[in-house]
Amino acid sequence: MKISIFGTGYVGLVTGTCLADVGHHVVCMDVDAAKIDGLKQGEIPIFEPGLESMVLRNVEAGRLNFTTDARQAVEHGVLQFIAVGTPPDEDGSADLKYVLAVAETIGEHMNDYKVIIDKSTVPVGTADRVTARVAEVLAERGESVDFDVCSNPEFLKEGAALEDFTRGARIVVGTDSEKVRERMRECYAPYNRNHEKLMFMEVRAAELTKYAANAMLATKISFMNEISNLAERLGADIEEVRRGIGSDPRIGYHFIYPGCGYGGSCFPKDVQALARTASQVGYDAELLTAVESVNKRQKVTLFDKLSRAFDGDLKGKTIAVWGLAFKPNTDDMRDAPSRTLMEALWDAGATVQAYDPEAMKECRRIYGERDDLVLVADRQQAVKGADALVVCTEWKEFRTLDGEWLKAQLGFPVVVDGRNLFEPAAMKAVGLMYYAVGRGDTLKLDAENECVSLQ
Ligand SMILES: NC(=O)c1ccc[n+]([C@@H]2O[C@H](COP(=O)([O-])OP(=O)(O)OC[C@H]3O[C@@H](n4cnc5c(N)ncnc54)[C@H](O)[C@@H]3O)[C@@H](O)[C@H]2O)c1
């Protein structure tokens, strides 16, 4: 099939590349000329495992092309995927200006039947707005060209995007048109061989499904962080609690890891946007609001623990940070807990000495050159001469640790572990002050049931 994709970010580039890899002819269009120039020269703008070789292979085969030429992209595909960003507006609702700009572009250049597909995460009712915008532009041109708009939300996760796209649990398509169903079946047929994954539903249900999925996952994380904070104050180990509840098949082990809060380009903005949608229809989504505020509070716990260890005086200290990306296997730092930590450290007069396997370039892009940010080549160099260590991201290479060696590197024996990677007993055995999440090791109840610090 001939397919056009608007937006070559995490979703657009992965979608376009995977669809080309199964034999479709794909044109990816972006307004970012530098990105398109780079892609044409084989430079992949994001880190995503397996993506680079797949892009190169399909460009080589002539099935994947990149352009800034909107007309060329609109003319090419019968399927027109909209995969541009939907960042939060000032009030937290999803800003649809990029999505509607693409709708306008399609309306300006289309001369034959198109299926316009909302792949971006968009609020309920957006397909109607895209339909109206395209129709308006066609009317301004004095043209009458047939088209349909459907919703096809994307459920991939960064770090495993190719695997998720090609072997995802489901492919949701919201439409009431048989013609669209046929085209979407044809598009996704290569991924639908093992068992039926296509789920056709009403457009509004498809739009809401994406938000509900992300809100549910964010809720699990915030719930677990809430219980961690409680465990910490009660002298219980959250890791034992996690195993205890995860073994219940109604709960399961997925997504119940305590940590330093969720980040990334999706959960924070999508939870917020859904709460905003709720208030627009006169419903107070109390649970969603709580999920968000628990997460915001959780993100500052790393700094709070560190600050407690240094009696509130971090001025002049050098803090090693392991992990900058919001999660492993990506270079994405949007809303990452590391950012909340680093910004608080800088406000407190500390210097950050950081390492991340993939996100260093992104970190430099965000923060630029500054004296209080030292980016180093590996985790060893990050702790060398540092006063304390904070673990922000659970990259595989951080998961083993020689405690004796670490203690010898640090000016003070302080480790704040935002991902519960290490065993508190082993850390304490070598004399490290180890602050994890919800592991009952920094605070404990005394005989009078008063909360006391162990230090
Ligand atoms: N990143 C994820 O893991 C993920 C997963 C599922 C869904 N989503 C959703 O998918 C959408 C895209 O997310 P992303 O992370 O890929 O965004 P991104 O910011 O990485 O990429 C968006 C791209 O769109 C381009 N763009 C903006 N306006 C354009 C226009 N008029 N024409 C062509 N290109 C244009 C930008 O230049 C940019 O390259 C969002 O709605 C997001 O919520 C993201």
Side-chain angles (χ1 to χ4, degrees):
M1 287 181 103
K2 286 185 164 184
I3 293 172
S4 303
I5 314 268
F6 293 86
T8 53
Y10 287 87
V11 169
L13 187 58
V14 168
T15 302
T17 307
C18 288
L19 291 175
D21 205 47
V22 292
H24 295 306
H25 289 268
V26 179
V27 168
C28 290
M29 188 268 166
D30 205 292
V31 288
D32 184 336
K35 208 180 244 189
I36 293 295
D37 278 351
L39 280 162
K40 281 182 170 168
Q41 286 160 36
E43 287 162 22
I44 312 302
I46 51 170
F47 171 74
E48 187 57 52
L51 184 60
E52 184 168 2
S53 59
M54 203 191 264
V55 170
L56 299 179
R57 180 165 79 229
N58 285 284
V59 168
E60 172 84 2
R63 287 189 300 265
L64 181 61
N65 288 288
F66 299 101
T67 186
T68 51
D69 183 341
R71 175 187 293 276
Q72 185 199 335
V74 176
E75 282 176 358
H76 173 79
V78 62
L79 303 186
Q80 307 266 312
F81 280 89
I82 305 180
V84 296
T86 45
D89 216 337
E90 272 162 24
D91 65 356
S93 58
D95 185 345
L96 291 179
K97 68 170 178 274
Y98 303 112
V99 170
L100 294 174
V102 177
E104 215 166 291
T105 303
I106 296 172
E108 271 163 22
H109 299 295
M110 66 185 270
N111 293 310
D112 53 6
Y113 175 73
K114 304 287 180 197
V115 180
I116 301 167
I117 302 152
D118 287 341
K119 187 160 260 314
S120 300
T121 302
V122 288
V124 176
T126 301
D128 294 341
R129 291 184 65 184
V130 168
T131 305
R133 195 70 205 104
V134 176
E136 257 169 47
V137 178
L138 282 171
E140 282 163 19
R141 284 172 58 200
E143 296 283 348
S144 156
V145 187
D146 193 19
F147 70 94
D148 284 299
V149 177
C150 74
S151 162
N152 171 218
E154 183 49 58
F155 298 96
L156 65 78
K157 48 186 181 306
E158 288 171 24
L162 300 191
E163 176 71 13
D164 286 350
F165 190 89
T166 53
R167 281 186 242 272
R170 75 302 212 191
I171 301 163
V172 169
V173 177
T175 181
D176 55 10
S177 151
E178 188 46 38
K179 201 163 157 186
V180 171
R181 277 194 281 270
E182 261 171 41
R183 299 281 150 92
M184 295 303 275
R185 239 183 239 120
E186 191 183 342
C187 171
Y188 284 114
Y191 305 113
N192 205 32
R193 289 163 58 84
N194 180 273
H195 63 275
E196 184 62 51
K197 285 188 196 164
L198 273 157
M199 284 184 192
F200 291 108
M201 56 180 77
E202 291 293 322
V203 177
R204 284 176 175 253
E207 289 172 333
L208 186 53
T209 296
K210 174 63 194 176
Y211 280 100
N214 276 0
M216 171 61 111
L217 294 171
T219 302
K220 288 183 91 171
I221 295 173
S222 274
F223 172 81
M224 210 52 195
N225 285 337
E226 184 101 296
I227 300 295
S228 305
N229 292 328
L230 209 48
E232 214 161 90
R233 285 157 179 79
L234 295 171
D237 182 345
I238 193 66
E239 290 301 325
E240 291 178 356
V241 177
R242 182 179 66 77
R243 288 198 297 277
I245 64 170
S247 56
D248 183 334
R250 293 170 303 175
I251 297 173
Y253 289 107
H254 289 298
F255 259 79
I256 56 166
Y257 288 100
C260 46
Y262 59 75
S265 68
C266 293
F267 290 176
K269 80 170 173 59
D270 292 349
V271 170
Q272 226 181 49
L274 188 56
R276 187 72 201 133
T277 298
S279 77
Q280 281 162 354
V281 291
Y283 181 74
D284 183 9
E286 287 180 62
L287 182 58
L288 297 178
T289 315
V291 166
E292 191 190 350
S293 59
V294 166
N295 192 56
K296 281 195 173 139
R297 194 173 58 188
Q298 197 66 13
K299 280 179 164 178
V300 299
T301 57
L302 294 177
F303 178 79
D304 285 350
K305 287 177 181 187
L306 201 56
S307 181
R308 205 182 313 142
F310 285 96
D311 275 336
D313 183 14
L314 286 158
K315 201 170 167 51
K317 298 281 185 300
T318 296
I319 308 301
V321 174
W322 283 1
L324 297 166
F326 83 93
K327 65 173 183 179
N329 296 323
T330 182
D331 57 353
D332 198 340
M333 285 182 66
R334 288 179 277 189
D335 272 321
S338 66
R339 293 177 67 169
T340 311
L341 170 72
M342 290 194 293
E343 288 163 21
L345 285 172
W346 292 328
D347 285 347
T351 293
V352 170
Q353 192 160 283
Y355 166 69
D356 185 285
E358 293 296 338
M360 313 273 268
K361 202 167 132 204
E362 180 62 1
C363 185
R364 193 56 88 202
R365 189 191 67 77
I366 297 167
Y367 293 113
E369 290 290 338
R370 44 187 297 167
D371 293 344
D372 50 9
L373 171 63
V374 183
L375 295 176
V376 294
D378 53 41
R379 69 170 180 165
Q380 285 87 345
Q381 286 185 49
V383 289
K384 210 170 184 157
D387 292 306
L389 166 67
V390 185
V391 182
C392 288
T393 318
E394 66 277 33
W395 284 94
K396 270 203 188 102
E397 63 184 84
F398 300 154
R399 292 183 191 185
T400 54
L401 185 69
D402 178 343
E404 305 261 10
W405 164 83
L406 179 64
K407 186 157 180 267
Q409 309 299 309
L410 296 173
F412 297 82
V414 175
V415 178
V416 178
D417 180 359
R419 301 293 174 180
N420 286 1
L421 296 186
F422 311 121
E423 270 311 309
M427 301 294 273
K428 279 187 190 136
V430 294
L432 284 162
M433 268 168 67
Y434 179 63
Y435 297 75
V437 182
R439 306 209 69 177
D441 49 353
T442 54
L443 294 165
K444 206 175 177 158
L445 292 183
D446 68 7
E448 275 80 46
N449 260 359
E450 291 289 328
C451 241
V452 291
S453 172
L454 282 181
Q455 273 80 43

